[in-house]
Amino acid sequence: MKALIKILAVISVVISSAVFAHVNLEKSSPSDNAMLMTSPEELTLKFSKEVRLVKVSLKNKQGKKVKFGFQPSKEASSEFSWKLPQLAPANYIVDVTFLGKDGHKMKDKFGFMVH
């Protein structure tokens, strides 16, 4: 009986950790794989739960970073937005590193194209 209780306790901890850590990027603008005819005016990220952003980088396919004023967030939020400079026609990658409420570090990335 003690062994069963220990097993159930371990399972409950593992499941609850996975549930609390499961935060994802629900939506972005531009969206993943978007093909845009003009440069986007903003970069917007919307998460399934509140997070703190550690790093957000925007690079072209050659790895050249685009500066847009990102600063790590001190306060948790589920939505973030920045004005973007005029982007030249190219493929772009956005890399995102964020922390959930429990301090769990997660990453995501998506890409888009400006014609």
Side-chain angles (χ1 to χ4, degrees):
M1 186 67 160
K2 286 183 182 181
L4 179 61
I5 291 172
K6 286 181 182 179
I7 291 171
L8 291 175
V10 169
I11 290 172
S12 111
V13 168
V14 169
I15 290 173
S16 66
S17 296
V19 168
F20 287 122
H22 190 70
V23 178
N24 62 310
L25 180 61
E26 283 189 331
K27 185 177 179 183
S28 67
S29 179
S31 60
D32 190 23
N33 296 318
M35 293 192 176
L36 309 172
M37 298 309 288
T38 60
S39 176
E41 293 182 15
E42 287 186 336
L43 173 62
T44 302
L45 306 175
K46 185 174 180 180
F47 295 87
S48 59
K49 296 180 184 175
E50 288 189 341
V51 299
R52 286 187 304 127
L53 292 179
V54 176
K55 179 182 172 187
V56 178
S57 66
L58 173 61
K59 300 177 193 172
N60 66 16
K61 283 287 190 172
Q62 290 73 36
K64 183 178 178 187
K65 286 187 179 181
V66 176
K67 293 183 181 182
F68 59 95
F70 169 76
Q71 295 290 320
S73 60
K74 294 178 182 177
E75 299 295 322
S77 181
S78 60
E79 195 165 337
F80 300 88
S81 188
W82 302 268
K83 295 276 185 205
L84 291 177
Q86 183 72 27
L87 299 178
N91 290 314
Y92 292 90
I93 298 291
V94 178
D95 282 306
V96 183
T97 304
F98 54 99
L99 299 174
K101 286 235 182 197
D102 63 353
H104 187 101
K105 186 176 176 181
M106 295 162 272
K107 295 183 177 192
D108 206 339
K109 78 165 39 172
F110 63 94
F112 63 93
M113 176 190 282
V114 177
H115 286 279

